[in-house]
Amino acid sequence: MYIMAWILHCLSTQQFAEKLINDTHAMPINLNDYSSGNAHDELLTNTNRARPGAGKILNYLRSLTDAELRERREAAELAMQVMGITFTVYSEEGGGIDRVWPFDIIPRILTAREWYRIDEGLKQRVQALNMFIADIYDEQKIIRDKIFPKEVLAQSVNFREQCIGIKPAYDIWAHICGSDLVRGADGTMYVLEDNLRVPSGVSYMLENRLVMKRVFPELFEDNDILPVDGYSTRLFDMLAALSPRPAEFPSIVVLTPGIYNSAYFEHSYLAQQMGVELVAGSDLVVEDDIVYMKTISGRARVDVIYRRVDDLFMDPEVFDKESMLGVPGIMRAWRKGNVAIANAPGAGVADDKVVYAYVPEMIRYYLDQQPILPNVPTYLCMDKTQRDYVLDNLENMVVKPANESGGYGMMVGPAASLKVRREFLALIKKNPRNYIAQPTLNLSTVPTLCDGVIEPRHVDLRPFILSSDASHVTRGGLTRVALNKGSLVVNSSQGGGSKDTWIIETRSN
Amino acid sequence: MLLASVAERVYWFARYVERVENTARMILVNNNLLMDMPKNSTLGWAPLVSITGIADIFYEHYQEANERNVLKFLVMDPNNPSCMLCTLTNARENLRTSRAIFPRDVWEALNDLYSYTKENKSAVLTRRGRYAFLSHIIDSCHLITGKLSASMSHDQIYEFVRMGRNIERTDMTSRVIDVRADNLLPKHDEDLKPFDDIQWKSVLDSLAAHQMYRRYVHVRVQGVAVLSYLLQDWYFPRAIQHCLTQVEYCLRNLPLNEAPQYALVRAQRMVRNADVRKIVAGNLNSYINDLQLALIDLNAELTSSYFEGREVSATIYNIADKQRVTA
């Protein structure tokens, strides 16, 4: 049976190849007119030749008729619906509603050779960030040595003085980090930001791959695409290593703010994939500084909490008194070392766009190494000279508030009206510490299916870095794509979609 | 390992689905009964409001318990927290937050039922559309119950599904007895005497019990026999005795079952030892009242044993927990 199927398969791939050779002039999908302008395209060179690793997928796309392409796209949409992949939009009437997140079937491709360098760069970066957080909540050597200004810390909204003196296992605070990478017009891959609080998106990375396998099984046989599905196991192992009680199967929970959170799907997905409980704050109690979950058999001790609730809502005893999402006493339990919390409360201190500007210095300071991955050049509005430059060049700048996520409260200069630019001018002058500015990067593009036509759309990439006793970087990450023509905003809440990301072993490696 | 909150949601999900089915059937039966009654009969739609136990809310919003008002109230009025549409919304919220536990097609079936009810609700107000609308709802509830039974592991979680369904049934059966049977017992409405038969039959019908009654009780349909059948039959799925036995089986498979079992046994004794003839001759209302208190007590014991993390001292509940609405 299997042999027959295999032979049939070989025949069909052979015919498929012949079809490719014979039908080249009958290509229904025309990539010859494809142009990404000044942006670097991830799949095609500026003379529209395939970049390393992208040859097979491009040939394949060329071999499809319009109808076939549409069919693949519909199959992907159906698969997403059937798999129940959704995100929640806050503003919908009735509190929130599940939506299918737009998915584009053309993958983003990186060669393994480039990826291994990025992998190394991310590990270096997250190691330095963790050393920074540990230092900030301990001796603050980096401030004493005048590498990092005290004022920045003093004004950081994510600095938690309640965390001073706490020593989490392995000195790791940011166990799960999602760093956003972007590629500029010159082909350089930059780190745009590091998300150290509750980064989300990994479930889409995993599900996107499953969808692609269903829709394009043949491509996975022709290409050496590195697998991504080890993530949940790695995540489980990373969390298990944090357990304060040595046990074969430590009790791990995922703490969610609940179904109205935009990432609820992911919380429930990860809990299911790891085979651990998904809990809300009201499922947990603390007694004698030990965290328990309420079960039908009474209390069961909890060792590790993968929390997807923001710091400030975690413990009404310590932070927001009104919080109904948190667990009173959980900070006491954590401080005593009776429970591990990932990411550690307070880790967000390094998830601040002003602090971001100092990461290259941190790498030099703590690791005595040169940064492998560069930052996007960043102007700090708190510094007078830099601020003046920003204010004079607002129309070419992307201005971001220091502590927002999800693309809220930012201004993209070239796209902003005069009115918006004036508003930001006033905002920056009023609270310079709260703003940074970066030159508008012409983000790289990937061919994307838009209304039946393949057009370039801008993308970023969010890999996830796990750290505890060892560190691990996902193979690729979540590629987010700005589906609106010319748009640079990739967030799911603002017209973004996603793509599968392929790390391909090419023969030249 | 089963989280208390998950068990609670599963339990209420099952109760809500059962409640929707019961309400639909109750309306349908009343509808059929009224067609057979003399035009000037005092019987009408008001008893349905009494059965739901929230007549006070009804009369806050409506002057008269006429057909249109009662049906609106029971099916779609958001002022009525247990209107069919509200109950379905609650069922859906409970399922949404525990989707990982249930087979996927249960979610789909409930979603279908919810949108069907929402889109077609005005059909219930027309005599012509009413039958099709309500039977579709009853069938859909059976579909959900069937899917649960056929494709979900019959593990501890499933015990909460079964308990929810059976406790909701005892609740409904006792309400039907309370309101309908009481009206029917001699002392009222001399003019309706000739219609006693069909009214007793409709009591059975509203619990889908008529056919089984005829098979098992070899007496014509009459008061005492109907009451003892609905209270004490071991085999009929909506007879209170049967439902309580089901709960007994469920509790055997659950931990920390001492307190709920105690409450259960009290209710079971009340049912088993009831001398229906005497009760009918005396005060049915007060008997049913006591029985309902015993059932409320059982529900409270289940709640405190399984849904609240009983082993934990009261001082450390957080706010959210206290505010959680369960009913």
Side-chain angles (χ1 to χ4, degrees), chain A residues 331-343:
Chain A
M331 285 292 286
R332 275 187 276 124
W334 180 56
R335 199 172 291 130
K336 288 223 166 154
N338 288 336
V339 71
I341 300 178
N343 287 353

Side-chain angles (χ1 to χ4, degrees), chain A residues 81-84 96 98 259-260 264 272 277-279 281-283 285-287 293-300 321-324 326-328, chain B residues 1-7 93 96-100 104 156 160 254-256 305-306 308-309 311-313 316-321 323-324:
Chain A
Q81 258 162 29
V82 170
M83 290 155 77
D98 288 341
I259 55 167
Y260 295 113
Y264 180 75
Q272 248 176 293
E277 293 301 326
L278 177 67
V279 301
S282 54
D283 288 313
V285 283
V286 179
E287 199 172 71
M293 59 184 147
K294 300 178 204 165
T295 78
I296 60 158
S297 330
R299 302 173 316 180
K321 306 273 179 292
E322 303 294 309
S323 171
M324 312 235 295
V327 188
Chain B
M1 231 280 314
L2 176 53
L3 279 177
S5 60
V6 171
E93 280 305 291
R96 233 163 89 84
T97 42
S98 30
R99 257 165 91 173
R104 186 190 296 271
Q156 282 191 340
F160 285 92
L254 293 173
L256 301 178
S305 288
Y306 296 123
E308 287 176 354
E311 304 269 289
V312 177
S313 75
I316 44 183
Y317 288 149
N318 76 17
I319 323 159
D321 207 41
Q323 290 185 344
R324 191 181 324 142

Side-chain angles (χ1 to χ4, degrees), chain A residues 49-62:
Chain A
R49 301 178 72 85
R51 288 197 190 275
K56 282 176 181 159
I57 174 87
L58 287 170
N59 279 340
Y60 176 81
L61 286 174
R62 286 188 173 109

Side-chain angles (χ1 to χ4, degrees), chain A residues 80-380:
Chain A
M80 306 281 290
Q81 258 162 29
V82 170
M83 290 155 77
I85 307 170
T86 59
F87 72 101
T88 307
V89 179
Y90 275 110
S91 55
E92 295 286 330
E93 129 194 46
I97 201 162
D98 288 341
R99 283 235 196 114
V100 171
W101 195 15
F103 170 72
D104 184 73
I105 56 175
I106 305 175
R108 184 252 186 85
I109 289 170
L110 289 134
T111 62
R113 182 216 289 268
E114 180 180 19
W115 184 253
Y116 291 135
R117 210 189 115 261
I118 294 173
D119 177 300
E120 213 183 311
L122 289 168
K123 281 180 181 156
Q124 177 196 50
R125 192 171 173 96
V126 172
Q127 192 188 352
L129 282 166
N130 271 305
M131 292 173 83
F132 169 75
I133 306 168
D135 185 20
I136 286 297
Y137 290 116
D138 191 16
E139 294 179 60
Q140 304 193 339
K141 279 189 246 163
I142 194 167
I143 295 178
R144 246 181 17 219
D145 291 344
K146 308 238 181 297
I147 307 289
F148 185 82
K150 202 181 168 81
E151 313 84 78
V152 174
L153 186 64
Q155 291 174 43
S156 167
V157 297
N158 289 317
F159 174 68
R160 307 269 174 264
E161 57 182 15
Q162 297 91 338
C163 297
I164 291 175
I166 295 176
K167 302 264 175 226
Y170 315 106
D171 275 336
I172 300 288
W173 292 67
H175 307 91
I176 301 115
C177 171
S179 292
D180 291 346
L181 305 179
V182 292
R183 199 195 294 277
D186 62 350
T188 310
M189 195 69 110
Y190 296 98
V191 180
L192 183 65
E193 60 183 58
D194 306 288
N195 296 281
L196 302 169
R197 284 174 285 180
V198 284
S200 62
V202 76
S203 58
Y204 298 106
M205 174 190 91
L206 300 171
E207 295 273 277
N208 285 353
R209 178 60 54 86
L210 290 183
V211 172
M212 288 296 273
K213 283 180 176 171
R214 281 195 199 183
V215 180
F216 295 121
E218 56 275 51
L219 286 172
F220 285 82
E221 294 175 29
D222 281 358
N223 285 294
D224 275 330
I225 304 164
L226 298 187
V228 293
D229 53 8
Y231 181 78
S232 4
T233 313
R234 294 283 191 162
L235 179 63
F236 182 90
D237 291 348
M238 182 279 286
L239 293 168
L242 302 175
S243 173
R245 287 190 302 174
E248 192 99 19
F249 297 105
S251 159
I252 299 174
V253 298
V254 177
L255 177 62
T256 173
I259 55 167
Y260 295 113
N261 186 274
S262 58
Y264 180 75
F265 165 77
E266 176 158 304
H267 308 160
S268 126
Y269 178 90
L270 290 175
Q272 248 176 293
Q273 292 293 308
M274 289 193 288
V276 306
E277 293 301 326
L278 177 67
V279 301
S282 54
D283 288 313
L284 301 180
V285 283
V286 179
E287 199 172 71
D288 298 332
D289 299 333
I290 290 173
V291 181
Y292 298 95
M293 59 184 147
K294 300 178 204 165
T295 78
I296 60 158
S297 330
R299 302 173 316 180
R301 181 166 173 176
V302 174
D303 297 309
V304 183
I305 299 173
Y306 175 20
R307 54 104 179 186
R308 298 293 297 255
V309 173
D310 196 73
D311 281 0
L312 287 178
F313 300 112
M314 281 199 65
D315 188 344
E317 279 184 10
V318 180
F319 303 117
D320 187 339
K321 306 273 179 292
E322 303 294 309
S323 171
M324 312 235 295
L325 304 175
V327 188
I330 200 170
M331 285 292 286
R332 275 187 276 124
W334 180 56
R335 199 172 291 130
K336 288 223 166 154
N338 288 336
V339 71
I341 300 178
N343 287 353
V349 66
D351 181 347
D352 171 312
K353 294 184 179 68
V354 179
V355 175
Y356 158 87
Y358 292 90
V359 175
E361 289 306 317
M362 291 175 199
I363 294 172
R364 289 184 200 104
Y365 178 74
Y366 291 114
L367 303 174
D368 197 18
Q369 293 170 6
Q370 286 306 313
I372 299 171
L373 293 172
N375 264 11
V376 176
T378 301
Y379 301 96
L380 301 175

Side-chain angles (χ1 to χ4, degrees), chain B residues 31-90:
Chain B
N31 189 52
N32 290 342
L33 173 67
L34 288 185
M35 290 190 215
D36 288 339
M37 300 303 282
K39 294 295 155 276
N40 58 353
S41 95
T42 50
L43 210 90
W45 290 92
L48 265 55
V49 177
S50 318
I51 287 177
T52 54
I54 39 177
D56 43 340
I57 304 183
F58 179 84
Y59 289 106
E60 261 172 45
H61 295 93
Y62 300 92
Q63 302 275 317
E64 195 193 337
N66 59 24
E67 178 174 335
R68 194 182 167 83
N69 288 349
V70 170
L71 288 174
K72 242 180 117 178
F73 183 71
L74 291 179
V75 175
M76 63 195 91
D77 187 350
N79 293 311
N80 172 8
S82 40
C83 81
M84 278 163 65
L85 206 53
C86 307
T87 307
L88 280 172
T89 310
N90 289 338

